[in-house]
Amino acid sequence: MNDQVIATKGLTKYFYDPIQFQVLKQINLTINHGEFVSIVGKSGCGKSTLLYLLSTMDTDYEGEIYIHNQLVTGQTDVELARIRNEKIGFVFQFHYLLSEYSVLKNVILPGLKLGKLPAKEIEHRAMEHLRTLDMQDQALKMPNQLSGGQKQRVAIARALINDPLIIMGDEPTGNLDKKNSDLVFDIFNKLAEEKNQTLLIVTHDNDFAQRTHRIITMEDGAII
């Protein structure tokens, strides 16, 4: 049991705009520690919706979600925010770096917010992650001085800062060319292979998905 990072039971989701529409149907899935998993399927099949439920950012659903064997369904907003910051690292299609802060400060911020370590230790860790991603020489630059691929690497460093249980990605290579997409894949693969990091990535890129440990294919709100 304790190898499970995420598990769902009967996860069901409806949209009500303007009429009731079932977007997820009885999703039962398990993601184990150290797995590199991709979710694929046509646009509108529910894969991003599923990711937002698993990330605890959307709490309007039926069924149950467990993170590290803890039932998160029904937890308070404050508790969910703590779980998100402590256990989940996010990498989106758009990097969401804060333009007024340097690369280093962007990476440090979630660590300062969590407040588990002294600021100096967080900064040291941030530099280590930037070094792993070959971005240490860009640490004092501002986001607008970076290329798209570099911004996404900074976003990955930021996702790693709190040693998350799982990294979730929503189309993290969606805005990147082939070369940078391959680079991001290689970074994720290295994290899985060398650091035993768990990764769950929603992607349209079949080439990316084929190289992950496991592919979850969705159609019409269900896993097929």
Side-chain angles (χ1 to χ4, degrees):
M1 265 295 275
N2 57 3
D3 221 27
Q4 289 185 357
V5 171
I6 285 193
T8 70
K9 290 181 184 170
L11 201 58
T12 299
K13 168 81 179 171
Y14 293 93
F15 285 151
Y16 301 91
D17 189 19
I19 54 164
Q20 188 181 40
F21 169 71
Q22 190 170 10
V23 65
L24 292 177
K25 302 164 186 169
Q26 292 288 324
I27 302 282
N28 298 303
L29 69 82
T30 304
I31 309 291
N32 290 319
H33 186 67
E35 273 197 299
F36 182 5
V37 181
S38 52
I39 303 178
V40 300
K42 291 184 180 139
S43 289
C45 71
K47 54 190 188 297
S48 288
T49 302
L50 174 61
L51 196 73
Y52 279 86
L53 293 187
L54 297 178
S55 73
T56 77
M57 287 198 272
D58 183 352
T59 56
D60 181 20
Y61 59 86
E62 296 168 13
E64 295 176 348
I65 298 174
Y66 295 83
I67 296 180
H68 222 199
N69 300 313
Q70 177 192 5
L71 179 66
V72 296
T73 306
Q75 297 271 13
T76 64
D77 288 347
V78 172
E79 179 62 12
L80 289 176
R82 185 193 64 76
I83 290 167
R84 270 198 301 277
N85 206 19
E86 197 171 300
K87 298 191 185 291
I88 305 171
F90 295 101
V91 185
F92 300 98
Q93 182 171 353
F94 186 70
H95 51 80
Y96 292 111
L97 298 179
L98 298 171
S99 59
E100 66 270 31
Y101 293 126
S102 69
V103 162
L104 183 60
K105 188 75 191 276
N106 266 283
V107 175
I108 286 170
L109 280 171
L112 293 177
K113 190 176 174 199
L114 187 62
K116 277 200 160 181
L117 295 168
K120 268 280 169 239
E121 172 66 14
I122 295 166
E123 185 172 329
H124 173 71
R125 285 186 174 205
M127 283 306 297
E128 285 298 305
H129 289 312
L130 288 171
R131 198 168 284 111
T132 302
L133 302 174
D134 199 24
M135 287 292 292
Q136 71 276 16
D137 55 344
Q138 311 292 324
L140 299 180
K141 287 192 176 174
M142 303 304 276
N144 66 357
Q145 296 174 286
L146 305 180
S147 69
Q150 287 175 319
K151 286 174 185 167
Q152 205 57 315
R153 278 188 272 167
V154 176
I156 294 168
R158 180 182 58 190
L160 288 167
I161 194 67
N162 290 336
D163 282 337
L165 196 61
I166 186 167
I167 286 182
M168 295 184 182
D170 190 12
E171 300 284 358
T173 59
N175 280 334
L176 303 177
D177 58 22
K178 177 83 173 80
K179 183 180 163 206
N180 278 303
S181 293
D182 286 344
L183 189 72
V184 168
F185 175 86
D186 290 342
I187 290 165
F188 285 155
N189 200 43
K190 191 174 169 189
L191 288 169
E193 299 297 330
E194 294 179 14
K195 311 266 195 220
N196 215 21
Q197 177 69 58
T198 311
L199 299 124
L200 180 62
I201 310 293
V202 164
T203 184
H204 270 110
D205 183 343
N206 277 329
D207 181 46
F208 184 105
Q210 291 299 332
R211 292 181 286 161
T212 61
H213 297 168
R214 177 158 64 107
I215 300 173
I216 294 170
T217 306
M218 292 187 65
E219 194 175 285
D220 296 333
I223 292 173
I224 57 170

